[in-house]
Amino acid sequence: MNLFDTVREVLDRRAPEVARSRGLSLEELYRQMGNSIDVMLAEWQREGAPSIPYHDPVFQLAYVYSHVAMNAHLLDEALRCEFPIKGRPVSVGSALLNLLKKTDRLRICTFGSGPGTELLGLSRFLGSKWLPHIPVELDVLHMDRVDQWAPSSKALQDSIESQFGRKRKLAFSTSFLPWNASKPDVASQTRALEERHLFLFSYVVSELLDQAELDAVSGLLSQMVRASPHAVFLIIDRFGDDRTQANISSLVAGAGLQPLAEDTLPNYVGFDEHAKTSLRQYVNVIGRMPRGSRFGGKKEAQFVIAQRP
């Protein structure tokens, strides 16, 4: 599955809509997307947590262009990473595949999921592993503090289904639950979080703005553990960021979770070639490649897998 083909389909669908709403030509919109990427990079590189207007459709398109393929790749890699349990090598992906022998429905919650990047990473993994004749339903709950991601998320889901969903009998059942750090809806969250198999946090901890948000996520994580005590938690975030790493350790310990594995994730082999082929019309105007190519051989992400003991 070429992740950049999916990104292109999302951009081809959403970019004309956003350009019309802003009174821009497509070329003008693409240039604004490039400027938005510069803003995001500056925010991520400064001291402290970034402040990025993800509610702005132009920033959303810039994020889809620059980050969705790489983040989906990193999740796919994390699902495949093996670690020892009682002397036997296991992985989160193998646990999901074993579940599919007992049920045709995987119940997953993604937090800070934005346009649904995790849905793409999960679909790529499952599409390469499970038999085509076995029907699978991904029941995915998206939690995010920005509820304006819905159009991009729907476009991403439609693209996944068009690529291989029907052929492989992949169905989606998705829902969105807004998250407010200062006023969490505990009752609604508890009902929605029950009986989940997997919780995914992708580049969330590094973007928590202050201690109040960190405390709120800590409370939510504990609530997730209580609602789904047998679930696996997978956290992916920046590598080499001491603050983020310390906050991840604090969140995991505070929720009573036991780390099962911690490691770094490899880069996307063939990134430049795939990106240039699939996104040529965007690359030519935006003037920069999507995230990934500029990192060379460096490790740029870490992951932690944890579960209640």
Side-chain angles (χ1 to χ4, degrees):
M1 181 183 188
N2 186 334
L3 298 173
F4 290 104
D5 286 347
T6 306
V7 169
R8 186 192 65 244
E9 289 185 13
V10 174
L11 293 174
D12 287 351
R13 175 168 160 177
R14 289 286 294 137
E17 298 171 354
V18 174
R20 283 194 300 271
S21 71
R22 295 293 177 92
L24 301 171
S25 69
L26 284 175
E27 187 167 319
E28 290 170 332
L29 174 64
Y30 298 163
R31 291 201 179 97
Q32 287 194 9
M33 288 165 58
N35 293 336
S36 299
I37 294 171
D38 290 337
V39 171
M40 288 191 285
L41 289 174
E43 283 293 311
W44 284 318
Q45 290 168 0
R46 72 177 178 84
E47 187 72 22
S51 179
I52 299 169
Y54 288 123
H55 61 277
D56 185 330
V58 178
F59 273 83
Q60 291 181 12
L61 289 178
Y63 185 92
V64 169
Y65 169 81
S66 188
H67 300 286
V68 161
M70 176 57 90
N71 286 357
H73 158 75
L74 293 172
L75 174 57
D76 182 27
E77 290 289 338
L79 291 172
R80 299 171 191 270
C81 285
E82 294 187 335
F83 52 94
I85 296 288
K86 296 181 179 179
R88 297 178 59 188
V90 299
S91 67
V92 174
S94 64
L96 295 179
L97 294 173
N98 286 333
L99 269 174
L100 290 177
K101 297 175 182 178
K102 305 172 184 177
T103 178
D104 59 1
R105 190 183 194 195
L106 294 178
R107 289 175 52 81
I108 294 158
C109 175
T110 67
F111 181 72
S113 49
T117 304
E118 294 83 356
L119 196 63
L120 180 58
L122 280 163
S123 300
R124 188 193 200 199
F125 171 78
L126 291 172
S128 69
K129 291 291 184 180
W130 100 89
L131 297 175
H133 64 274
I134 299 177
V136 174
E137 178 186 352
L138 289 181
D139 177 348
V140 182
L141 171 67
H142 298 293
M143 295 187 70
D144 203 291
R145 56 188 169 192
V146 179
D147 58 7
Q148 292 92 339
W149 280 110
S152 296
S153 181
K154 181 62 167 62
L156 183 62
Q157 179 179 320
D158 289 346
S159 177
I160 294 169
E161 289 181 319
S162 69
Q163 284 194 58
F164 69 87
R166 287 185 294 272
K167 180 175 64 175
R168 290 186 176 269
K169 299 182 180 179
L170 175 66
F172 296 99
S173 173
T174 58
S175 55
F176 180 84
L177 186 63
W179 180 73
N180 186 322
S182 59
K183 297 180 180 179
D185 185 346
V186 176
S188 296
Q189 288 176 182
T190 298
R191 290 191 298 272
L193 296 173
E194 289 177 344
E195 299 181 1
R196 296 283 162 182
H197 300 120
L198 177 64
F199 289 92
L200 296 171
F201 289 69
S202 182
Y203 287 89
V204 171
V205 180
S206 58
E207 297 209 2
L208 297 177
L209 298 177
D210 51 36
Q211 187 61 44
E213 282 201 347
L214 185 64
D215 292 342
V217 170
S218 179
L220 176 63
L221 192 60
S222 297
Q223 186 182 5
M224 290 172 169
V225 174
R226 292 192 300 270
S228 297
H230 303 296
V232 173
F233 291 76
L234 173 54
I235 303 170
I236 300 174
D237 219 306
R238 297 181 192 175
F239 172 67
D241 185 330
D242 293 339
R243 181 184 67 89
T244 297
Q245 191 163 357
N247 286 340
I248 290 173
S249 298
S250 175
L251 288 170
V252 169
L257 294 170
Q258 176 184 345
L260 302 178
E262 301 179 51
D263 206 345
T264 55
L265 290 164
N267 273 318
Y268 189 146
V269 176
F271 185 100
D272 283 355
E273 178 185 351
H274 291 165
K276 287 178 181 177
T277 300
S278 298
L279 299 175
R280 189 180 307 277
Q281 72 186 79
Y282 296 94
V283 173
N284 289 342
V285 180
I286 291 174
R288 67 163 66 244
M289 292 288 289
R291 173 176 138 244
S293 58
R294 60 196 174 83
F295 290 97
K298 291 171 61 179
K299 300 286 187 179
E300 72 145 37
Q302 61 177 325
F303 72 91
V304 176
I305 298 168
Q307 192 171 31
R308 183 176 178 178

